């Protein structure tokens, strides 16, 4: 694996809702960089998940910034409250809009950090021109909507494709990888160029072991003390 620093963004839909505060303290103690918040609307994806009230409650309990992943139609109608969360990064799927550039600009105007997500059905080439305008490209390695799915191996090539574009253009855009970030897949994702890993049920929030144990192992794997 490369020595590039890699950040963690735990997927909060996979945390223990009945012991949320406990999980958040654990994440803070291990220095995770982001809290990944999956927002789903039952239209863009066939599921419902977290929303702004959940984020506001969490913001009172933690100072880790929010990495909000909007898997929704008409994201422009819903971004404002998410942008007011301290240090928020807002990632949307550009194919949901006619004018994604306008939304990127609006997110910046509102003081948040914009990102775009690339669904497995979309190509990097389609959205390449947007990469210089955003702070993050989230490469989805499963179909958005559910935790616990299997990697779509072809999506690993998209990570390399985005990395190559970023390097060629001398950009500082970060690459996030979302979906089946497992012990087996982490080295492949990092080698392909990932900067931020969305940690869901595949490693951090595994059912059969305490989250603290997984977190310690992840920190060791990613070279964090
Ligand atoms: C969807 C979510 C899931 C997720 C990943 O956008 O972000 O991809 O929680 O966790 P896994 O795939 O490890 O269950
Ligand atoms: Zn996500």
């Amino acid at each position: 694996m490369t020595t590039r620093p890699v950040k963690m963004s735990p997927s909060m839909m996979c945390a223990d809702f009945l012991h949320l505060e406990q999980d958040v303290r654990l994440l803070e103690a291990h220095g995770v960089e982001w809290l990944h918040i999956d927002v789903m609307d039952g239209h863009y994806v066939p599921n419902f998940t977290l929303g702004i009230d959940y984020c506001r409650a969490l913001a009172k309990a933690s100072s880790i910034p929010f990495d909000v992943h909007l898997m929704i139609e008409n994201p422009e109608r819903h971004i404002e409250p998410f942008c007011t969360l301290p240090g928020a990064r807002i990632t949307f799927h550009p194919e949901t809009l006619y004018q994604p550039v306008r939304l990127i600009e609006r997110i910046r105007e509102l003081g948040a950090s914009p990102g775009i997500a690339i669904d497995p059905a979309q190509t990097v080439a389609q959205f390449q021109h947007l990469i210089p305008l955003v702070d993050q490209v989230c490469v989805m390695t499963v179909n958005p909507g559910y935790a616990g799915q299997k990697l779509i191996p072809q999506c690993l090539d998209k990570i390399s494709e985005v990395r190559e574009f970023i390097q060629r253009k001398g950009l500082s855009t970060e690459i996030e990888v979302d979906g089946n970030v497992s012990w087996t897949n982490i080295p492949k994702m990092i080698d392909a160029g990932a900067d931020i890993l969305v940690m869901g049920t595949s490693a951090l929030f595994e059912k059969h072991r305490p989250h603290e144990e997984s977190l310690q192992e992840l920190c060791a794997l990613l070279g964090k003390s």
Side-chain angles (χ1 to χ4, degrees), residues 120-141:
Q122 311 293 328
T123 64
V124 174
Q126 261 169 284
F127 301 121
Q128 201 161 264
H129 57 293
L130 300 177
I131 298 177
L133 307 177
V134 295
D135 296 334
Q136 165 169 299
V137 176
C138 172
V139 177
M140 293 231 48
T141 41

Side-chain angles (χ1 to χ4, degrees), residues 75-76 79 83 92 94 97-110 114 116 130 133-134:
E76 76 287 1
I79 51 154
C83 288
F92 65 95
L97 285 169
Y98 288 121
Q99 281 103 34
V101 175
R102 177 175 291 146
L103 187 59
I104 292 168
E105 288 168 354
R106 183 73 186 132
I107 292 170
R108 281 210 196 278
E109 266 168 31
L110 291 166
I116 52 166
L130 300 177
L133 307 177
V134 295

Side-chain angles (χ1 to χ4, degrees), residues 24-90:
V24 170
R25 295 287 158 261
L26 206 58
L27 299 176
E28 276 176 342
H30 288 80
V32 313
E33 288 84 356
W34 293 100
L35 296 178
H36 189 83
I37 308 290
D38 286 307
V39 180
M40 303 184 191
D41 65 354
H43 290 279
Y44 178 69
V45 290
N47 195 9
F48 296 96
T49 43
L50 311 173
I52 186 64
D53 290 341
Y54 173 92
C55 294
R56 286 187 182 129
L58 210 53
K60 284 188 193 148
S62 164
S63 55
I64 307 174
F66 289 86
D67 166 32
V68 179
H69 179 191
L70 298 176
M71 284 161 279
I72 61 176
E73 289 179 357
N74 308 117
E76 76 287 1
R77 292 189 199 157
H78 305 284
I79 51 154
E80 293 205 11
F82 291 104
C83 288
T84 65
L85 296 166
R89 178 166 283 178
I90 314 292

Side-chain angles (χ1 to χ4, degrees), residues 150-216:
K150 270 206 149 152
L151 175 82
I152 301 170
Q154 292 78 1
C155 295
L156 291 175
D157 294 340
K158 289 192 203 172
I159 306 172
S160 318
E161 218 181 317
V162 178
R163 169 59 58 207
E164 196 272 323
F165 180 83
I166 286 172
Q167 259 159 5
R168 186 156 42 88
K169 298 282 177 184
L171 303 171
S172 54
T173 320
E174 292 185 290
I175 303 176
E176 178 174 66
V177 179
D178 189 3
N180 197 199
V181 178
S182 66
W183 301 106
T184 314
N185 293 332
I186 287 172
K188 299 180 206 167
M189 290 165 167
I190 295 179
D191 283 345
D195 297 300
I196 305 172
L197 298 174
V198 176
M199 313 292 327
T201 60
S202 307
L204 171 54
F205 295 114
E206 281 176 306
K207 278 209 175 78
H208 64 277
R209 67 198 294 216
H211 299 160
E212 182 158 21
E213 208 180 285
S214 311
L215 206 43
Q216 276 166 5

